[in-house]
Amino acid sequence: MSTVIIAEKPSMARAIREGLGSAASRFEITNAFGHILEQAEPDAYLPDSVPKTAKGKKVWRIEDLPILPQEWIKFPKREAKDQLKKIGALLKQADTVINAGDPDREGQLLIDEILEHFRYRGRVQRVWLKALDRENVQRAFAALELNDKYRPLKDAAEARSQSDWMVGMNLTRAVTVRSGDLFSIGRVQTPTLALVVRRDLEIENFRPTDYFEVFAECRHAKGSFLAKWQPASTDGPGFDPEGRLIDRALAERIAAKATGPGRVARFEVKEQKQSAPLPFSLSALQKIASSRYGLSAQQVLDTCQALYEKKVTSYPRTDCRYLPEEQLADTPKILGSLPIPEGLRALVNPRQKHAAWNNAKITAHNAIVPTGERASGLSEIEAKIFELIWKSYVALFLPDYRYKALSALVEINGETWKATGRQDLDLGWKKLYGGHAGDDEEEADGSADESRAPIPVMQTGDAIEGQGGKVQARQTKPPAHFTDGSLIDAMSNIHNFVTDPEARAKLKETSGLGTEATRASILETLLARQYLQKKGKQLLSTPKGRVLIAYLEKQGLAEFADPVTTARWEDLLSGVAEGRIPAGRFVGAVADSVKEAVATMKTGSAALAAQSQSNGKGNSKSGKAVTCPICKGSATVRRLESKKKKGVFFWSCSNRDAHPLLADDHGKPGKPFGARA
């Protein structure tokens, strides 16, 4: 008998073998290729009486919905059958198995489902590999746990898979058949699309309004400075509901008062300090890399995965920005491996304990940090991401940034004006970033310190002289279009898009849209299905994406385009992963929602989704629900204009799988049939 280690992928198996060294000979080490079992297609659950296409696929029909499996079926992926057989042969000789999947829900499921597939009944242990360098591998194998402890993680991943299947398979078919256009619906992808569609519409419908700011040029014995007018009240005429001054004549009258003698009503100097930012979670890193380098969320995830597999950084799919206190012991080794500039190395204090070291804040994983392995042979993108990661770690051990915050209130001709300034005392950790703002997250937010005109050090009661006023015209600005980074951030912080205070507070505590492991792939799916498109760094909704969201709302299915609904479902999945909520309860709730949605679709109107072509240009089309003369199914038969020959039209059926050919040259569902019109 033997002990078999099943790793998630070949690279992880190699890292385990190398990390265990001579001890590896005690184990049979094999691997999966990610998920090597997959959910069966709906055809497996439909009766044989359903008509078939020429390719043997069962026709999409509204009357067959909803499809809600009672017993779920999985099949081996075609490309993984040989590997699955090899694992099965090893399991026949095994008395112990070590689950070495990635340390997350999906990693737990993809090994557990292999064991279930072969009905393995021996002992199963779990190794939790937070990093793949030798020291961390050996540490993890010295702390093996029973696999059953992580059963809730497997249940959550399974529940996620089943709920995604029910929403995707049923609503994709229902909306496609009823609308006459092929639309893909997803439990997470569709609400994410809705975020972008609504942001784009908000920008397009935005109407800028003018407002004014008034400044006084002031002279003090120690120097001149600029101060901004502070109105005593913004409730009266001349102000908008947000307290902005919108009356230019009033602004000019105030500016005219900024001349003549005045006094310093109050002057304050406060010494302040700022610690280095917390190290990165995946979403925080994706946000920064998008802003700084224009990288997509998927590029950042793939790069982080490559760095993890090269053993130079810790596990990437983490939502945590804190570090376990016991890892402080690794600090000297890690710092010694990093390319810290010589001028700063003397300032690094390995014994300094930043607020990031906090066991109470640790979730299943810790923040992304270097492992102490020397990085070499990195690609250009890998080097950029690694630099962000190692600098965020080194900054934890550098002195605080210290500065003086200066604030002055001055009075001239009965009006009050305010000036602020900052004097750097010690750049501290910001020296690591070239003496600039240095806080990468402020840079991504657009909130990094703007250069301010310095103000002199004064005393309360000092005399000043108003040198005149000036009015600066401003305009309100629309929100910015989403980028990969800002959309990932929005998915992580969905509470920012909720107006109800109680719901907002609850979602802030618990929920996001998708998970750290899935958000990047959701964005890639929306791009691949041409619901989103890229323009530079911007992510923009396509006409096809807008039509889908509008159609769902019109059909009374807004729940499936509501990010809050999906965020709450993610919250329930977290409860399943923590063992607080039975997986069946979550899956049952999603099934009930799908039943209601399909019932609504069956009774609702079958409105055409006009202008939904993926290229956004739109072709002449018309149609109505009839019996297709080819597939004999209820379908929308439409008149389409040929893309290749202008003025030539043909007919098309909306049942995508009902015909030998999948689509016409527009990528639309159905094979053209019948005579030209």
Side-chain angles (χ1 to χ4, degrees), residues 371-668:
T371 62
E373 293 289 309
R374 299 233 175 229
S376 61
L378 302 184
S379 68
E380 181 181 354
I381 293 179
E382 287 170 349
K384 288 178 177 178
I385 297 300
F386 183 63
E387 181 180 23
L388 289 176
I389 293 169
W390 76 253
K391 283 188 174 181
S392 75
Y393 184 80
V394 171
L396 303 178
F397 303 97
L398 287 169
D400 290 341
Y401 164 50
R402 295 189 303 109
Y403 61 93
K404 285 183 178 180
L406 312 178
S407 176
L409 284 179
V410 301
E411 294 177 350
I412 308 171
N413 287 326
E415 300 294 342
T416 302
W417 315 74
K418 183 177 182 179
T420 58
R422 177 179 293 194
Q423 291 182 354
D424 291 337
L425 298 175
D426 183 353
L427 287 175
W429 58 268
K430 290 196 174 191
K431 293 176 183 175
L432 186 61
Y433 297 91
H436 301 297
D439 185 342
D440 288 317
E441 291 183 81
E442 287 182 355
E443 182 179 306
D445 287 334
S447 60
D449 288 343
E450 297 178 357
S451 58
R452 300 189 183 116
I455 67 173
V457 176
M458 299 176 277
Q459 299 290 328
T460 299
D462 281 358
I464 61 106
E465 182 74 21
Q467 300 290 295
K470 60 181 180 179
V471 176
Q472 289 189 356
R474 310 283 195 192
Q475 272 196 333
T476 55
K477 294 180 180 180
H481 284 290
F482 280 117
T483 63
D484 275 68
S486 63
L487 185 53
I488 289 286
D489 186 59
M491 295 170 75
S492 306
N493 297 283
I494 199 64
H495 63 277
N496 290 330
F497 297 84
V498 181
T499 55
D500 178 75
E502 185 176 343
R504 182 185 179 98
K506 180 171 176 56
L507 289 173
K508 184 176 183 179
E509 283 180 19
T510 57
S511 304
L513 190 57
T515 67
E516 300 286 328
T518 62
R519 289 176 186 131
S521 64
I522 292 298
L523 269 57
E524 293 301 310
T525 297
L526 289 169
L527 288 164
R529 292 176 177 166
Q530 298 180 313
Y531 293 133
L532 295 182
Q533 61 185 341
K534 280 203 167 182
K535 183 179 180 181
K537 291 183 180 181
Q538 296 176 343
L539 284 173
L540 305 176
S541 56
T542 63
K544 179 180 179 181
R546 295 185 182 198
V547 164
L548 174 57
I549 299 305
Y551 185 81
L552 290 174
E553 292 173 345
K554 182 177 180 181
Q555 295 297 315
L557 302 177
E559 172 187 12
F560 293 94
D562 184 356
V564 175
T565 299
T566 301
R568 285 176 173 147
W569 283 357
E570 293 290 351
D571 189 23
L572 292 174
L573 280 174
S574 295
V576 175
E578 294 163 8
R580 296 184 287 105
I581 298 173
R585 185 193 302 175
F586 170 77
V587 174
V590 175
D592 289 343
S593 293
V594 170
K595 285 180 189 175
E596 292 178 13
V598 170
T600 299
M601 290 296 294
K602 286 181 176 179
T603 58
S605 64
L608 283 173
Q611 298 292 319
S612 65
Q613 284 95 329
S614 60
N615 63 13
K617 295 178 181 178
N619 281 2
S620 172
K621 63 175 91 173
S622 62
K624 60 181 180 178
V626 298
T627 298
C628 172
I630 303 295
C631 69
K632 309 301 181 185
S634 177
T636 298
V637 178
R638 301 184 300 141
R639 182 172 179 262
L640 296 172
E641 182 178 6
S642 171
K643 190 176 181 181
K644 295 178 179 177
K645 295 183 180 180
K646 192 169 183 179
V648 176
F649 296 86
F650 53 79
W651 299 100
S652 175
C653 171
S654 64
N655 281 335
R656 178 178 173 82
D657 291 324
H659 304 284
L661 298 179
L662 287 179
D664 61 280
D665 61 356
H666 304 288
K668 304 308 298 173

Side-chain angles (χ1 to χ4, degrees), residues 274-292:
Q274 180 185 1
S275 298
L278 293 169
F280 292 116
S281 63
L282 176 59
S283 59
L285 187 56
Q286 287 168 323
K287 182 179 179 183
I288 299 309
S290 171
S291 172
R292 177 171 285 199

Side-chain angles (χ1 to χ4, degrees), residues 6-8 31-41 45 72-85 87-88 91 106-120 154 157-158 160-162 165:
I6 308 178
E8 179 161 332
N31 59 268
F33 297 115
H35 283 285
I36 58 179
L37 295 163
E38 60 185 352
Q39 295 279 8
E41 294 291 322
Y45 303 103
W72 292 84
I73 302 169
K74 290 183 181 180
F75 292 117
K77 290 183 177 178
R78 182 181 306 171
E79 65 273 18
K81 285 184 177 179
D82 290 343
Q83 185 65 15
L84 193 60
K85 287 180 183 178
I87 295 173
L91 291 178
E106 293 302 318
Q108 188 67 36
L109 172 62
L110 68 86
I111 305 300
D112 282 355
E113 66 186 0
I114 293 172
L115 301 181
E116 290 182 359
H117 176 76
F118 288 110
R119 294 181 173 84
Y120 180 77
K154 179 258 184 187
E158 193 87 87
R160 191 275 312 157
S161 174
Q162 292 171 0
W165 192 99

